[in-house]
Amino acid sequence: MTLPPGSERHPVDPSGAPAGAAGAPGSAAARVLRRVFGYESFRSGQREIIEHVVDGGDALVLMPTGGGKSLCYQIPALVRPGTGVVVSPLIALMQDQVDALRALGVRAGFLNSTQDLDERRAVESAFLAGELDLLYLAPERLRVEATLRLLDRGSISLFAIDEAHCVAQWGHDFRPDYLMLSMLHERWPSVPRVALTATATPETHKEIAARLGLADAYHHVANFDRPNIQYRIAPKKEPKAQLLHLLRTEHPGDAGIVYCLSRASVEKIAEFLAGQGIPALPYHAGLDNRVRAENQARFLREDGIVMVATIAFGMGIDKPDVRFVAHLDLPKSVEGYYQETGRAGRDGLRSTAWLAYGLQDVVQQRRLIDASPGDAAHRRRLGTHLDAMLALCETVECRRVGLLAYFGQHGAAACGNCDTCLEPPQSWDGTVAAQKLLSAVLRLDRERHQRFGAGHVIDILLGRSTPKVTQHRHETLSVFGVGEDLRELEWRGVVRQLLAQGLLAVQGEHGTLALTEASADVLRGTRTVALRREPERVARSSARSGGDATGGAGRARRAAPVDLPAQAVPVFEKLRAWRGATAKEQGVPAYVIFHDATLREIATRMPTSLADLATISGVGENKLAKYGEQLLDVLAGSTGTPEPD
Ligand code: ADP
Ligand code: ZN
């Protein structure tokens, strides 16, 4: 938590201000924040981290997506002498990251396999000449001796290790090349390192610290809440129709991501949405590289694209205005789910995380785990991850409270901005229903040669004489028809929840239901079973309607910037059109020019001079010089008295 012994202190401010106190209002760091980035104040945690790294200390930063991690190494790199070297696995995004920095007037470059020799040489000589503030590298570059020698010959201000959870084998994004990053400290012991990640169970945290030798670094674990994201988990009925409804009623024209488990379903859903007039593109590892890169670029550059993707998509996508993330299949872990949903709403504006989940998902995921390669310990670990995800799906408590507890943040209050807070599901005593179901499974289990899935068991409980029931003479079972008090959908819910609670298991290819050790307690009557009853209506966001269905949602509303006042809407649209044209001209994503949040503030405050404009968050020195006059022109065109006719 302190400065590692023996680490060097560097002078921090080329202008001659004393070192240290980096976050103080007049400090070099605070000046860079205002001048380069156009921001008034640090966000929670940034000041301390930046101060520590500017002073030459190591840091391990765990902050949710959108928390503001990049500034934690970009500002120290600008304040300290030398080049900040950023290790990042996101080759496909380096160009955009560098473009965004250059738009701010920061001297940035990258080295990766997509460049030709000339481009590489140019970056290398800029680095050696001390003309780069930031240099982005893929981890595999550091395996190459020539790269290490190059770094030896230049002057390095710090190492930033982005997506640091890639070093953790426990997690879901493990990359072997990350393991050797521990050598950075051995080779350049006096260069401070800052490792950053947005995924952070206590296990992952520990593993990063151990593997990167950061146990003694300054650790910052941020509040992991993302109050502007509304979490909703809905029972899966007709997933395509449910998705379409969500997009049409709550997110028309918005950019978003739809995650599917398989490549085939990605293709199918993308085609379906496109057929419905929604600009949807597919993304998965099986697509041609060129198509993939093109779809990603369109998602980043155009407004309102819906990306239908496997989880191969998304890491490092820093598009700030992703308004929704929808999951059509159950994620394998809470960590993955939080990482994926976290890609919504980086700009702090209201966003939706929506997951449709059904019985089939549980059966499928359990089967995938059974069939997965690796040893028993590995499968057990996968099982633990899945169980936590299922518990989140089936909870009758606030989703956010559950999520935060998973990341070690216990005791949060109900959020008022998730489906269970907005429309509380009831919990009901499902002990008798569970007993009926389990006895049916027990009876069927006695017929050793036959294996029966959930559908057949439910048919028996409902007393349906289907051909299969008749064929096996299952009308004669004592449990035949004992479940007529519940509807089929409700029985599917019971099966799903018993699976989630480990009171029932699935086996084999056909998803045969089987008892577990814990089932016996329920059958014996020594254990009761609480189940979740879905609210009749699926919770719907109040974001667009402005209605107050949120009850105690004051917190959610405070966290998200206010919606635009009516008179600002046309101005905002004009600014957006200007931004779109400018971005296109320069071949960069629109948010590289200005974020939505900045345009909103401009539209609301209507600055009339460059000095006014400079006080708006996100308008730094470089952008003011470049776009200030143009913005004032756009605004002037929006305020003139309307001409008669
Ligand atoms: P992360 O890498 O943690 O996901 P980013 O570094 O991309 O987050 O920051 C998220 C957004 O917040 C960006 O648009 C960034 O410019 C903005 N931001 C970061 N720090 C500040 C600050 N101190 N004031 C205002 N905006 C900030
Ligand atoms: Zn809640």
Side-chain angles (χ1 to χ4, degrees), residues 128-446:
L128 291 173
E131 288 162 1
L132 284 185
D133 300 310
L134 283 157
L135 173 63
Y136 285 75
L137 289 181
E140 50 272 24
R141 287 268 115 198
L142 292 169
R143 253 198 328 235
V144 182
E145 188 53 34
T147 310
L148 300 178
R149 280 202 305 272
L150 172 78
L151 295 182
D152 274 334
R153 285 158 57 215
S155 155
I156 303 171
S157 59
L158 58 82
F159 286 109
I161 301 166
D162 205 7
E163 312 288 351
H165 63 282
C166 291
V167 80
Q169 269 154 336
W170 156 265
H172 56 289
D173 276 330
F174 174 63
R175 308 212 172 191
D177 281 332
Y178 263 65
L179 288 177
M180 58 171 201
L181 294 181
S182 56
M183 67 79 181
L184 293 178
H185 195 49
E186 287 148 28
R187 191 156 176 145
W188 292 281
S190 66
V191 177
R193 296 168 303 153
V194 47
L196 313 102
T197 178
T199 185
T201 55
E203 288 83 4
T204 308
H205 181 179
K206 261 186 256 154
E207 202 175 336
I208 297 172
R211 291 197 189 276
L212 294 178
L214 288 171
D216 293 332
Y218 175 75
H219 290 218
H220 177 84
V221 183
N223 183 336
F224 259 72
D225 192 9
R226 299 285 309 281
N228 62 312
I229 300 181
Q230 183 175 81
Y231 294 96
R232 282 151 48 191
I233 301 180
K236 195 189 274 188
K237 292 174 191 145
E238 297 163 54
K240 284 201 289 197
Q242 287 172 284
L243 176 68
L244 191 62
H245 182 78
L246 173 82
L247 267 52
R248 289 225 166 115
T249 58
E250 296 180 44
H251 292 287
D254 283 346
I257 306 173
V258 177
Y259 281 112
C260 304
L261 193 63
S262 71
R263 297 172 184 186
S265 49
V266 163
E267 300 274 357
K268 206 177 67 194
I269 298 294
E271 213 164 279
F272 165 73
L273 290 179
Q276 299 292 324
I278 291 172
L281 299 172
Y283 189 105
H284 58 71
L287 286 174
D288 184 67
N289 275 345
R290 198 183 41 79
V291 175
R292 224 167 39 197
E294 193 177 298
N295 287 357
Q296 174 171 298
R298 283 192 59 192
F299 178 73
L300 293 175
R301 278 163 177 68
E302 294 173 28
D303 280 331
I305 300 275
V306 175
M307 190 66 113
V308 185
T310 61
I311 54 171
F313 178 75
M315 199 196 329
I317 293 287
D318 55 3
K319 185 176 167 64
D321 58 350
V322 175
R323 290 272 70 84
F324 65 90
V325 170
H327 281 88
L328 287 185
D329 294 298
L330 184 70
K332 292 180 172 52
S333 71
V334 177
E335 261 184 294
Y337 170 73
Y338 205 59
Q339 185 94 301
E340 285 140 29
T341 53
R343 290 166 189 151
R346 271 171 183 261
D347 53 10
L349 303 176
R350 285 199 183 96
S351 311
T352 309
W354 180 84
L355 158 65
Y357 145 81
L359 171 57
Q360 221 28 56
D361 286 296
V362 191
V363 173
Q364 185 179 28
Q365 290 286 2
R366 291 257 194 250
R367 220 184 286 158
L368 285 175
I369 291 176
D370 285 341
S372 85
D375 55 9
H378 177 67
R379 275 195 292 277
R380 224 173 10 252
R381 194 162 65 194
L382 296 177
T384 310
H385 282 313
L386 179 61
D387 287 343
M389 189 63 220
L390 292 173
L392 178 71
C393 291
E394 302 294 359
T395 183
V396 292
E397 312 286 332
C398 169
R399 307 271 190 211
R400 198 178 310 267
V401 167
L403 278 168
L404 294 176
Y406 186 77
F407 292 107
Q409 246 175 272
H410 296 279
C415 75
N417 192 27
C418 72
D419 55 351
T420 63
C421 281
L422 293 170
E423 292 187 54
Q426 285 153 5
S427 155
W428 60 290
D429 184 350
T431 310
V432 173
Q435 286 168 338
K436 288 177 183 171
L437 186 100
L438 295 177
S439 4
V441 173
L442 181 69
R443 301 260 140 52
L444 293 179
D445 196 39
R446 293 196 181 130

Side-chain angles (χ1 to χ4, degrees), residues 33 39 41-43 46 64-71 318 346 595 617:
L33 178 74
Y39 297 142
S41 53
F42 286 110
R43 290 219 184 123
Q46 287 178 331
T65 309
K69 283 185 289 300
S70 331
L71 292 194
D318 55 3
R346 271 171 183 261
H595 287 183
S617 180

